[in-house]
Amino acid sequence: MHASTRRTYLSGLILAAALLVVGFLLPAWLLFTVTKAIGYGLVALGIITLMRGGLVSFGQGLVYCIGAYAAGLLATRIGVTEAPLLLLVGMVASGLVGLLVGPLIARYRGIFFAMLTVALSMVLYGILVKMNAIGGSDGFTLPEPTFFGWQPDVGTSDLALYVTAVIVACAAATACRLYYDSMAGMMALAVRENELRVEYLGSSVFNVTVRNFAIAAALGGLGGSLNAMALGHIDPLFSFWTTSGEFVFISVLAGHLSVGAVFVSALILELVRSFSNRYFPETWQMIIGIFLIATIIFLPGGVGSLFQRVLKRGPAAGRGESAENEGRAAP
Amino acid sequence: MTSDTVILEARDLQKRFGAVVAAQDINVKVASGEKLSLIGANGAGKTTFMNMVTGYLKPDSGAILLEGGDVTKLNPRQITQRGVCRSFQIPQLYEPMTALENVMVAIGASGRRFSFFQPADLNETVEQARAMLKRFALDPYAHRPVSELPGGVRKLLDIAMALVRNPKILLLDEPTSGVSVDEKFPLMETVMEALAAEAVTVIFVEHDMDIVTRYSDRVLAFYQGQVIADDDPSEVLSDPAVQKYVTGTAGPATAPAGAEKEAEA
């Protein structure tokens, strides 16, 4: 196995193990917040996958909502409460929608692409609001999830879902990191920089875009079904444009350099929201706004660029020093 | 190296942009291994011809045959996949990436399939990219972002990327434009040395007649969308019509057919 691949797998495993241990120490309210943040982070992971190919979707609420409703309907109508199965179904349902919608919008760029995604998510919102059979604008409540046949009691269900979320998030982040570092991932960066040249090198810009859109959709569905279980209730607001806006906020805050940063950013958003709600009611959006402005001005690469700086400092600084020493020794 | 096999054929190509005739009755056969240069003033139809061959523009009528097969309707990607690669007058590079990474992308694009879970910087890919950079004497620039590189280096990198696929036909759009006079010959020398090992057919657009004479087996002279001369460099450059309308060596170029063009407009 290639050294960088091994490093990616290892960091995924170590991070998962650490987060699982941490989970047993966290208070219940924080467990819930982190789980919800992981759900948001998964959707944002999809957006940064698209961003690497030069596109931003302002309508990820579409796939988030489809994932949530797929899991919710499976749980309420058919009675499947297995959390892993609900996550899988949410991911597959949204991934399929991504494969269907992707080819229709893959030829659009910039603001046209973004607005088309918003439009599609708002169409879904409109439909769901009118569908009284599945709750209309009130949505519906999900039964408590089970885990491989085990039904946790009220005290441990948050922890069980947290454990599931951590495992899913670390697997998704590891897979994305491997994809970004692969030749296919490099082609996405090439598409962002110069589409014309990609075509003239014999590769298809369209295929790269559809592929990224489908991956983003699957991740969105995964986040949606996870949050459906975490919240225990879903409604059409999952597909509303402000929800999509939050995903874009997380992605911009995170930047596309690190796959871990989206989860940190999502947690920042959730914590700011929780605390602002408590101490500055009605003004939490303002605080979020200030946060975003500060990020764009002071940290244009996003939170992920901080990680990279810290990671690179070690070996790079060492090399710099030795070069300096050699320089001094030479005369 | 020229053989008698026709690798590329243009039949009765016509192309107009409104009233402007960009290509008219173009009939050209290119033999495998030939080094063909295209000359002509700006707007004479050289780039239009090149764009039609690479599928970027569709001719209004006529056909383009590659090894006897019709490729007129294909898009640039499909034509690239059939072994016709090109470089650009303004190098089309991935600016934030290093020179090495640019070539790696070219290698990735030429591969049929790539694994999603295998790193891009596999040893064999990096070695292949380094070898290509070395052929073009670009190895000192391997780890520099291409946005920082000087013009001549960017030109060479652009050509190196086009060569990764081992094309049958390589089209070079003004390889020496934007390069200082002193650098033109060394640059062409580097390119031709890099191509020496390949049985590649080269078609290049060039304004410098010394380079045309030295590096091409055959010259097509364009004027107002038509090929007005098609022969050895010495024959073409001594043609009075070419001297009048293309090279300007027979006094200032005036347009006798301008009246026709105005009438069309």
Side-chain angles (χ1 to χ4, degrees):
Chain A
M1 199 189 286
H2 199 271
S4 69
T5 311
R6 196 181 310 131
R7 199 164 54 233
T8 306
Y9 279 124
L10 258 178
S11 8
L13 273 176
I14 291 170
L15 204 63
L19 285 172
L20 290 178
V21 172
V22 167
F24 287 89
L25 308 170
L26 291 179
W29 69 270
L30 197 53
L31 272 181
F32 168 74
T33 306
V34 174
T35 306
K36 200 171 150 216
I38 288 176
Y40 271 48
L42 284 168
V43 189
L45 189 59
I47 296 184
I48 66 165
T49 305
L50 273 172
M51 276 163 77
R52 291 176 71 89
L55 290 169
V56 177
S57 159
F58 281 84
Q60 286 311 89
L62 172 79
V63 286
Y64 180 66
C65 186
I66 285 171
Y69 269 77
L73 290 173
L74 189 66
T76 52
R77 300 293 152 114
I78 303 174
V80 177
T81 53
E82 269 306 314
L85 203 59
L86 293 179
L87 287 171
L88 185 70
V89 166
M91 181 175 83
V92 171
S94 291
L96 288 177
V97 168
L99 275 180
L100 282 175
V101 173
L104 299 177
I105 64 172
R107 300 206 188 279
Y108 295 91
R109 289 293 172 272
I111 196 72
F112 301 103
F113 180 86
M115 292 319 282
L116 270 173
T117 57
V118 176
L120 287 167
S121 70
M122 289 309 288
V123 166
L124 179 67
Y125 172 78
I127 292 171
L128 290 176
V129 164
K130 296 284 174 205
M131 280 182 74
N132 291 326
I134 52 170
S137 57
D138 293 336
F140 58 89
T141 302
L142 274 75
E144 283 284 319
T146 55
F147 301 84
F148 301 105
W150 172 58
Q151 172 82 62
D153 55 41
V154 181
T156 48
S157 69
D158 277 347
L159 184 60
L161 203 56
Y162 169 87
V163 168
T164 314
V166 164
I167 292 169
V168 166
C170 287
T174 305
C176 280
R177 183 77 262 166
L178 291 174
Y179 168 51
Y180 297 166
D181 291 341
S182 75
M183 188 51 92
M186 201 168 180
M187 290 310 295
L189 289 180
V191 165
R192 186 179 67 188
E193 292 309 324
N194 193 335
E195 296 192 4
L196 178 81
R197 188 68 203 238
V198 170
E199 290 280 323
Y200 271 112
L201 287 172
S203 206
S204 165
V205 171
F206 182 79
N207 288 356
V208 171
T209 309
V210 172
R211 178 200 304 146
N212 279 349
F213 191 80
I215 292 172
L219 288 167
L222 200 55
S225 48
L226 177 66
N227 276 6
M229 286 186 277
L231 295 165
H233 183 87
I234 52 179
D235 61 48
L237 282 175
F238 272 56
S239 188
F240 202 60
W241 64 272
T242 52
T243 312
S244 303
E246 286 180 8
F247 300 140
V248 175
F249 168 85
I250 296 168
S251 313
V252 173
L253 190 58
H256 67 264
L257 296 171
S258 156
V259 292
V262 283
F263 299 103
V264 174
S265 302
L267 190 60
I268 291 174
L269 175 81
E270 282 305 310
L271 290 176
V272 170
R273 193 195 334 244
S274 305
F275 284 99
S276 310
N277 259 340
R278 182 144 180 201
Y279 299 109
F280 320 96
E282 308 301 321
T283 55
W284 76 273
Q285 274 105 339
M286 187 184 80
I287 297 183
I288 291 285
I290 292 169
F291 231 94
L292 190 58
I293 292 169
T295 310
I296 290 169
I297 293 174
F298 298 112
L299 210 61
V303 172
S305 63
L306 276 181
F307 294 1
Q308 279 217 335
R309 230 181 283 171
V310 173
L311 284 177
K312 279 194 177 157
R313 189 169 292 158
R319 241 177 281 147
E321 263 172 33
S322 65
E324 250 179 45
N325 290 339
E326 279 164 28
R328 249 179 258 135
Chain B
M1 238 208 286
T2 309
S3 71
D4 296 333
T5 338
V6 174
I7 186 160
L8 182 77
E9 184 180 352
R11 273 190 202 156
D12 295 321
L13 291 184
Q14 318 281 344
K15 181 75 187 175
R16 285 163 156 273
F17 297 108
V20 179
V21 180
Q24 193 181 348
D25 304 326
I26 294 186
N27 283 289
V28 175
K29 282 183 181 177
V30 183
S32 183
E34 208 166 16
K35 306 276 181 280
L36 176 69
S37 60
L38 314 179
I39 62 171
N42 290 324
K46 311 176 299 288
T47 301
T48 302
F49 176 72
M50 212 164 209
N51 282 341
M52 287 192 292
V53 169
T54 56
Y56 188 72
L57 289 176
K58 301 279 169 276
D60 296 336
S61 65
I64 296 160
L65 307 176
L66 177 64
E67 295 178 307
D70 192 339
V71 295
T72 321
K73 297 270 188 306
L74 302 186
N75 65 30
R77 173 165 44 89
Q78 292 163 324
I79 288 184
T80 303
Q81 286 166 350
R82 278 170 174 70
V84 180
C85 298
R86 70 168 293 179
S87 76
F88 296 81
Q89 188 180 347
I90 299 163
Q92 298 291 319
L93 309 171
Y94 305 114
E95 300 294 338
M97 297 188 193
T98 64
L100 188 71
E101 285 167 341
N102 269 265
V103 180
M104 282 164 64
V105 169
I107 294 169
S110 63
R112 289 218 160 181
R113 288 190 301 144
F114 28 67
S115 163
F116 286 71
F117 297 110
Q118 220 169 37
D121 54 349
L122 284 177
N123 290 338
E124 48 176 334
T125 315
V126 175
E127 285 312 309
Q128 197 188 337
R130 279 189 194 285
M132 184 53 83
L133 286 178
K134 206 170 172 59
R135 265 170 83 179
F136 283 85
L138 291 171
D139 27 345
Y141 306 101
H143 296 289
R144 300 253 309 266
V146 295
S147 55
E148 292 175 5
L149 299 180
V153 171
R154 292 167 61 86
K155 279 280 186 189
L156 284 173
L157 181 61
D158 194 59
I159 297 169
M161 286 166 74
L163 199 61
V164 161
R165 205 176 251 279
N166 296 319
K168 294 170 192 150
I169 302 178
L170 182 64
L171 296 112
L172 308 176
D173 195 354
E174 305 204 18
T176 67
S177 77
V179 174
S180 73
V181 180
D182 303 344
E183 286 178 62
K184 283 189 177 187
F185 271 96
L187 185 141
M188 277 311 275
E189 205 59 45
T190 312
V191 172
M192 290 305 171
E193 265 174 35
L195 297 178
E198 310 261 332
V200 61
T201 310
V202 182
I203 302 177
F204 65 102
V205 173
E206 185 54 63
H207 287 294
D208 187 320
M209 293 309 144
D210 294 331
I211 286 181
V212 167
T213 314
R214 176 125 160 222
Y215 294 106
S216 46
D217 310 326
R218 186 178 148 203
V219 181
L220 293 185
F222 283 77
Y223 180 70
Q224 293 193 344
Q226 297 182 54
V227 176
I228 57 167
D230 174 0
D231 212 327
D232 297 337
S234 56
E235 292 291 328
V236 169
L237 294 179
S238 56
D239 185 314
V242 171
Q243 289 183 345
K244 193 165 183 185
Y245 303 132
V246 181
T247 57
T249 42
T254 47
E260 275 172 43
K261 217 176 157 186
E262 271 166 31
E264 277 166 11

